[in-house]
Amino acid sequence: MALGEARTSALRRDELLADRAMVGTVLCRALARRTDEWLQGIFSAEVTDAEGIALVAVGGYGRAELCPYSDIDLLLLHRDRPDIGDIATRLWYPIWDEGLKLGHSVRTPRETRELAKSDLDTATSLLDARHIAGDAELTADLTADNAAQWLRSARRWLPLLAQRVAERHRRSGEVAYKLEPDLKQGRGGLRDVHALRWAEAAVFEMDEADSRKLWADYEVILAARVELHRTTDRPGDQLLLQEQDGVAAALDYADADELMAAIASSARSIAWRSDEIWAWLRDSELPPEWRRRLRRRTSRNNTALDVDVMTHEGRAVLADDADAADPCTALRLARAAATHGLRMDRPSLERLHGQMAPMPEQWPDEARKMFVDLLLTGTAAPPVIEALDQMDLFVRILPEWAPNRSRPQRNAYHQFTVDRHLCEAAALAAELVDRVDRPDLLVVGALLHDIGKGYPGDHTEVGMGLIADIAHRMGYPPTDVDVLVAMVEHHLLLPDVATRRDLEDPDTIAEVARQARTVETLRLLGALTEADSVATGPSAWSKWKASLVRELVARCAHVMEGGDIDEITSKFPTPEQRGMMEAGERLVLGEGDTLLVIAPDQHGMFSRVAGALALSGLRVLLAAAHSEYGMALERFQVESTLGLEIDWPQVTAYVEQALAGRLAIEARLAERISTYEVEPDFTPRPVIAPKVSVDNDSSSTATIIELAAQARIGLLSRVTSALSQLGLDILSAKVQDLGGDVVHAYYVRDGEGNKVTDQDHINEINLALQHAIDTSSTRV
């Protein structure tokens, strides 16, 4: 093949990429073959004397796993050819001319072997080496030498490889649970399978069934990476939100949720198998003969852990005569493993997989106790539940679990799939049992609070029915079933009220107390709220939110136990503040996380202060206002949007300028927006759609206006300015951050001090606030 023809053939890559019938491994191998042919043509045209020279594919190209924008990794191997530099130049330039990314090296076999002795990346890349052109014997000798050297050096390399795997997981996170996973480097991604292949080349042979499952899961992740390259027309490993619909369509998934569920399921399977192998390599005393496989290990003494359960080789193992058909046996094994911090023995799990019957319609009392004991082990429980689930055992205990397996929650608020979120919530709840009277109900309720998400309909309503059925089967008495149902029904009650309603309002406390019904349930809901929120993600819990929820629980409990609400509400304004207002004294004071302003009442004062705070890089969390004696008192609880210490002298100077009408708030906000404008092609999927609602039922003294929108610079200032223009007085305000979205709640009265009931006025409020949302054009 002439060089001109070789270059023409390279352009035919587009034909392969245009063939949408070829996906995943099929396309990768076709691209590799096409690239092989092209490189062979270049080699034939440029190398007239190929003696002692070989062109070798390494790494991903060596595996014939060439994604559309993968690097072309090549080794030019030679036996001390003096003209090798000129040859390399003639080979590399046509590749660069085609716009392909080339990873290249030029070495002798001896140099390569020496480097492979000291460099892990070189050693593993040669495990995937493949001959392309030139002296095939040269390539064969090198790959054989490297394979033998890899075996000899395995004791030294494998601990480092395991360390690299762990570091990569810490750096890249989980493929299964991240909103925008790294398909290659993340835990459960492609690189984990590569690492297992390298370990297998040194230590063991994988079980055939495991191998088939591993490669089936690998194909799911690889196909997604291939389509990510093809649909975006650029290299990349991170499957961003805005690319997921296109990748799903290219792979014939119904939608992006189905794609992400498939990726999560496969990534979980890869991660579990990877963990199994690396845990064994880490914990086992390997015999001198490296080719003695996994099941032939050095014996250790057995120690009984429970009935029919013992420890062996650092694992929890079923006794030979244990009844593997009894689901209680699986729970006993799981409880022992979690209690003692052990992994469950793989052959034991396989026995259970082959023999275990579903849990009977009426659980034995022992089963419920062991199930609760497992959950009460806290952070030790999720890995054990994951192992049961990987072997299809957990759904035999809890069949309602099945629709939630690997179910994605594709928004910036949630960090886990539904099933993992529930496991994490239960584990976190186990750390909070000292706050409640019934630890068993807390952990069971936490595990099942979102069980309805895998089913059609409102997940709370569906979940209430499901947990009632489950609790009856588990053998809980009707009163306990009612409590568990209430935990599902009201699992969002406390965070919603705490972050959106005025805790000084007696109506708020009375309504929460009415819905919780008992102090026992109230405290269970308090602990569940924290566990659920922390398990949701960093946007769902903060010191501010924690303090509000705990304050709400304390106030409700006090009233439910017969206390007077006036005994526990903080006084606003304080007698001292009221005295300052009566005397006409003026104050602008910032301290800690709170700004206090006392000044002559003026139109739009709240909005001006809010604007000054936005310009100072502060986010308002909570605000309260009071007017009397012709004076206004405003209190703002704030936090820095950048996590920095608040520079109060600068902030109060801005506030003073704003109050004096000497700060161009709108112009400065517009300037700040243009400075911090985000990339126009990426807008995360909102947790909630922008909306405005007016509530005249929840408070007897004020109208509550609530809006939901994307978090934007100056939004609070614009909204409160709009309210002021409509003649409304703001009594209090709360802002809840939902990870890119916010919910604002305002307690307002009209100019006469009454609730807003006129429908025309309410219509104007809706119009003004929608306009305020729409004109705030940039996210914080």
Side-chain angles (χ1 to χ4, degrees):
M1 183 186 295
L3 179 58
E5 293 173 346
R7 289 181 178 173
T8 301
S9 73
L11 298 177
R12 291 172 55 216
R13 282 169 49 96
D14 293 344
E15 298 173 8
L16 300 178
L17 296 177
D19 185 353
R20 293 291 176 171
M22 288 199 297
V23 298
T25 300
V26 173
L27 178 61
C28 289
R29 289 176 178 169
L31 287 171
R33 284 195 302 271
R34 184 65 54 84
T35 305
D36 289 353
E37 294 166 0
W38 178 61
L39 290 174
Q40 288 160 1
I42 294 173
F43 191 91
S44 297
E46 297 294 349
V47 183
T48 55
D49 177 11
E51 183 179 354
I53 300 178
L55 187 63
V56 183
V58 295
Y61 180 35
R63 292 189 299 273
E65 189 180 288
L66 202 57
C67 292
Y69 281 93
S70 291
D71 294 356
I72 309 296
D73 292 324
L74 293 170
L75 166 63
L76 185 58
L77 200 62
H78 69 101
R79 288 196 179 97
D80 297 315
R81 285 282 296 255
D83 57 345
I84 196 64
D86 180 58
I87 292 172
T89 299
R90 296 201 306 272
L91 293 177
W92 302 155
Y93 267 97
I95 302 173
W96 288 325
D97 288 344
E98 289 293 344
L100 300 175
K101 188 174 180 182
L102 174 66
H104 60 88
S105 57
V106 181
R107 291 190 295 266
T108 66
R110 181 176 180 178
E111 289 170 340
T112 305
R113 284 192 294 268
E114 289 301 312
L115 184 59
K117 289 179 182 178
S118 59
D119 182 70
L120 178 59
D121 291 336
T122 300
T124 54
S125 70
L126 291 173
L127 291 173
D128 296 318
R130 184 169 56 86
H131 183 72
I132 299 296
D135 188 341
E137 185 179 345
L138 193 61
T139 302
D141 289 345
L142 177 67
T143 55
D145 288 349
N146 184 70
Q149 183 168 283
W150 179 252
L151 282 172
R152 292 192 301 271
S153 305
R155 284 183 181 274
R156 176 166 57 92
W157 280 136
L158 288 181
L160 179 57
L161 184 57
Q163 181 182 337
R164 292 270 190 94
V165 169
E167 289 173 352
R168 177 166 46 76
H169 291 170
R170 284 192 293 271
R171 184 174 62 251
S172 300
E174 301 265 5
V175 174
Y177 309 123
K178 290 195 74 172
L179 183 63
E180 298 178 325
D182 185 325
L183 300 174
K184 184 177 181 181
Q185 304 292 346
R187 180 173 178 267
L190 302 175
R191 186 60 82 196
D192 276 0
V193 180
H194 303 158
L196 287 181
R197 289 181 68 253
W198 300 330
E200 187 178 17
V203 185
F204 64 92
E205 289 177 355
M206 192 174 296
D207 176 84
E208 183 179 349
D210 260 4
S211 183
R212 285 197 304 270
K213 181 68 171 73
L214 187 69
W215 287 106
D217 291 324
Y218 183 82
E219 176 64 23
V220 171
I221 310 295
L222 178 63
R225 183 178 186 241
V226 167
E227 294 310 319
L228 177 62
H229 284 201
R230 185 150 59 174
T231 59
T232 61
D233 198 26
R234 61 177 182 269
D237 298 319
Q238 188 175 14
L239 186 53
L240 300 176
L241 271 171
Q242 72 266 28
E243 313 299 351
Q244 291 170 12
D245 289 317
V247 171
L251 293 173
D252 290 329
Y253 288 100
D255 53 30
D257 281 351
E258 187 176 308
L259 164 72
M260 298 310 291
I263 288 174
S265 179
S266 291
R268 285 176 58 198
S269 178
I270 291 171
W272 182 68
R273 283 168 170 77
S274 174
D275 288 351
E276 282 283 294
I277 297 300
W278 290 113
W280 175 78
L281 291 173
R282 181 184 65 247
D283 298 336
S284 297
E285 294 178 4
L286 296 174
E289 299 85 0
W290 278 90
R291 284 297 175 178
R292 296 193 180 203
R293 305 298 191 229
L294 277 171
R295 291 177 175 79
R296 298 184 63 187
R297 291 179 268 173
T298 303
S299 297
R300 299 183 191 175
N301 292 331
N302 299 334
T303 302
L305 300 176
D306 204 333
V307 176
D308 291 334
V309 181
M310 63 193 70
T311 179
H312 178 69
E313 300 282 347
R315 302 280 179 117
V317 180
L318 286 181
D320 291 341
D321 58 352
D323 182 4
D326 184 357
C328 286
T329 301
L331 283 175
R332 199 173 293 114
L333 176 68
R335 180 179 65 175
T339 300
H340 296 278
L342 303 173
R343 298 182 73 86
M344 291 182 288
D345 180 61
R346 181 64 180 276
S348 297
L349 289 171
E350 290 170 348
R351 279 179 61 195
L352 292 167
H353 174 73
Q355 300 178 39
M356 181 178 137
M359 187 70 74
E361 182 63 25
Q362 189 63 43
W363 287 30
D365 289 343
E366 180 194 19
R368 183 179 72 250
K369 182 180 186 307
M370 288 191 294
F371 189 78
V372 168
D373 287 346
L374 170 61
L375 298 181
L376 286 172
T377 62
T379 56
V384 172
I385 294 173
E386 175 71 3
L388 293 175
D389 205 31
Q390 286 296 325
M391 300 301 289
D392 291 324
L393 300 173
F394 199 62
V395 292
R396 302 184 204 180
I397 298 169
L398 198 65
E400 291 85 354
W401 192 256
N404 295 286
R405 294 171 77 178
S406 303
R407 186 178 182 86
Q409 304 188 83
R410 292 198 314 127
N411 59 55
Y413 203 39
H414 282 275
Q415 63 179 336
F416 293 126
T417 54
V418 174
D419 52 350
R420 178 63 181 270
H421 167 71
L422 293 174
C423 288
E424 292 292 324
L428 290 162
E431 307 299 321
L432 306 175
V433 294
D434 58 336
R435 301 184 189 177
V436 300
D437 298 324
R438 291 291 302 276
D440 61 325
L441 297 183
L442 175 60
V443 292
V444 171
L447 183 74
L448 301 177
H449 75 277
D450 275 343
I451 195 71
K453 282 191 172 179
Y455 297 79
D458 179 84
H459 84 275
T460 298
E461 292 181 5
V462 174
M464 291 165 62
L466 292 173
I467 200 171
D469 291 342
I470 294 167
H472 280 301
R473 290 204 312 269
M474 293 176 76
Y476 278 111
T479 52
D480 288 349
V481 174
D482 290 344
V483 172
L484 287 168
V485 170
M487 290 177 70
V488 173
E489 180 181 9
H490 299 308
H491 71 276
L492 297 176
L493 173 65
L494 298 185
D496 282 352
V497 171
T499 56
R500 302 181 188 185
R501 294 295 179 260
D502 186 357
L503 303 191
E504 303 291 336
D505 187 343
D507 294 335
T508 298
I509 305 303
E511 179 59 20
V512 171
R514 183 189 69 79
Q515 294 192 55
R517 298 181 62 183
T518 68
V519 174
E520 176 189 79
T521 302
L522 174 72
R523 292 196 171 115
L524 285 167
L525 289 171
L528 173 60
T529 295
E530 180 167 340
D532 182 21
S533 299
V534 175
T536 295
S539 300
W541 196 245
S542 63
K543 290 181 179 179
W544 170 72
K545 188 172 180 179
S547 67
L548 291 178
V549 170
R550 290 170 187 169
E551 182 181 354
L552 175 59
V553 170
R555 292 184 178 196
C556 290
H558 179 80
V559 171
M560 293 168 78
E561 290 170 341
D564 187 341
I565 185 64
D566 291 336
E567 296 174 358
I568 55 173
T569 53
S570 60
K571 302 301 180 181
F572 179 79
T574 65
E576 180 184 5
Q577 291 164 352
R578 191 183 297 274
M580 293 178 66
M581 296 173 73
E582 185 176 9
E585 297 182 29
R586 195 173 182 283
L587 176 71
V588 178
L589 175 66
E591 194 171 62
D593 64 353
T594 302
L595 173 73
L596 191 66
V597 178
I598 301 176
D601 199 0
Q602 57 178 292
H603 185 70
M605 177 174 162
F606 193 105
S607 174
R608 293 187 187 190
V609 176
L613 293 173
L615 290 173
S616 301
L618 300 179
R619 178 186 294 114
V620 175
L621 302 174
L622 184 65
H626 177 79
S627 59
E628 196 174 4
Y629 309 114
M631 300 288 287
L633 165 65
E634 294 177 351
R635 183 182 65 197
F636 295 83
Q637 183 181 346
V638 299
E639 67 179 6
S640 170
T641 58
L642 300 176
L644 304 175
E645 186 176 346
I646 299 174
D647 184 352
W648 280 119
Q650 183 183 59
V651 173
T652 54
Y654 258 163
V655 172
E656 292 280 14
Q657 286 180 265
L659 292 175
R662 291 186 290 106
L663 189 64
I665 294 174
E666 283 296 320
R668 287 187 174 273
L669 284 174
E671 182 181 65
R672 185 175 175 85
I673 285 171
S674 65
T675 301
Y676 291 94
E677 189 172 41
V678 297
E679 292 295 325
D681 63 340
F682 175 45
T683 302
R685 184 183 298 270
V687 175
I688 43 182
K691 64 180 180 180
V692 176
S693 61
V694 177
D695 176 6
N696 270 314
D697 297 326
S698 297
S699 173
S700 60
T701 59
T703 295
I704 304 171
I705 299 174
E706 189 172 286
L707 68 85
Q710 282 188 287
R712 301 181 187 276
I713 295 171
L715 177 61
L716 179 65
S717 176
R718 288 189 173 89
V719 168
T720 53
S721 176
L723 295 175
S724 176
Q725 290 170 21
L726 288 167
L728 300 177
D729 292 328
I730 299 171
L731 306 181
S732 69
K734 284 186 175 179
V735 179
Q736 181 185 12
D737 190 335
L738 299 178
D741 294 313
V742 289
V743 174
H744 291 200
Y746 303 92
Y747 280 65
V748 302
R749 294 181 186 142
D750 65 17
E752 303 299 320
N754 301 316
K755 295 169 70 170
V756 183
T757 56
D758 181 72
Q759 188 58 49
D760 288 339
H761 199 175
I762 291 174
N763 292 342
E764 291 300 303
I765 291 171
N766 272 284
L767 179 63
L769 295 192
Q770 287 288 356
H771 179 71
I773 293 171
D774 293 341
T775 55
S776 300
S777 59
T778 303
R779 296 199 320 121
V780 174

